[in-house]
Amino acid sequence: MSTYDEHLVIVGNGMAGHRLLETVLAHPHRPRHITILGDEPATAYNRILLSPWLAGDMDREALTLRHNDWYAAQGVSLIAGERVTAIDRQCRTLTTDQGRRLAYDRLVLATGSRAARPAVPGSDLDGIHAFRDLEDGERLASLADAGGRAVVIGGGLLGLEAAEGMRKRGMTVSVVHRAMHLMNRQLDPTAADMLATELRARGLEIHTGADLAAYAPDADGQRATGVVLSDGTTLAADCVVAAIGIVPNTTLAERAGLATARGIQVDAFMTTSDPNISALGECCEFEGTTYGLVEPIWRQAEVLAARLCGETPAPYRERPCATKLKVSGISLYAFGPIAPTSAHEVLTYHDPQHGDYRRLLLRDGVIDGAVLYGDTGDGPWYFQCALAGDDLSACRQALLFGASDARPLLEEVA
């Protein structure tokens, strides 16, 4: 059977599954029969925009990637609102929670992830929310519109975006972060302090170096009414949001006997331990790495789409990713290591009056990492130079001032 005649089934109509679908459809040798299943009733939408939508910066319609009629026009069978519960690898069939049974030739798992919850007393109480999908966003928006107090556990990207969105809708919001500064995986202390100062000025309460000890229950022991920190501080809340990270959804793969660790284990062509089943996105694990940013997932989709359409693509490889925060009015851009080593030369520019900060880590004249806050316009240029391994020694004295000052010096020695 040629790849064109195969039935391709994609489990998961989130951003990874949808990106794969669109990439496959653009291929001249796409499979003729394609089915995509999603357990959410909505068609594919842009989860990246959930944060600005929660903040009221855009309409719900702006999140939608495709409407129902698009799938039919592409010859794709869309099954929405059904969860796949079992895979029979020997018969190459899958079963949904509605009793539907589908046969496949090639199967792709794009089952995404779920929010991690701190393992502390009270974690099973009602009133503890996540911020992962549209249903979560709608629930948080409704709660925020009613006012009151919220506590967000986690001062990383998602936690800060959720906190600012709920604050803009009228809630008093506290952020509890275990590390000593916000976004400690992306920012150095100086940039993080600038970020915290700005967020506090907007009305957010920031608690760093704060360990969550327990969720505070109501009198009936049914619902969370706040959090208790390890120092005994209690923060009351009408709503608690846990945003400490994600856990790959591997249950379906485990039931089918596929190899899993933190995620569904795949090779450099996104193939699982079963040659007829692939996985990509937040549910998969490649060489010990799991995923939460779209850039590597988009590259996974390119590799897998080519493979599903009969090509032999270049294998997937890890490479650095850049980070941006989706909070209106705040610009930051970061990539690479946070803490400098003895092998790094550190270049720093700081203008507190104008709220600008840049720190570059150089290794033998090559940018190894960068943190930018305020004016981030040169962030992508720094990142491209880092990926290319460009030796920037000739423009070192102008490097902190960006591409417009550095490029002429590079051209002089070219």
Side-chain angles (χ1 to χ4, degrees), residues 211-275:
D211 278 330
L212 178 68
Y215 294 101
D218 62 8
D220 297 327
Q222 300 296 315
R223 186 174 185 81
T225 58
V227 301
V228 180
L229 305 183
S230 58
D231 65 0
T233 300
T234 298
L235 301 176
D238 303 291
C239 168
V240 179
V241 181
I244 63 167
I246 57 176
V247 178
N249 286 326
T250 61
T251 301
L252 181 63
E254 290 169 358
R255 290 173 179 168
L258 298 177
T260 63
R262 285 188 298 161
I264 306 169
Q265 294 185 318
V266 297
D267 64 14
F269 299 101
M270 316 317 296
T271 306
T272 70
S273 54
D274 183 324

Side-chain angles (χ1 to χ4, degrees), residues 55 97 138 152 166 202 230 234 275 311 349-350 376:
D97 58 0
E138 290 173 339
V152 176
M166 298 178 77
R202 295 183 178 199
S230 58
T234 298
E311 294 184 353
Y349 169 82
H350 191 190
T376 61

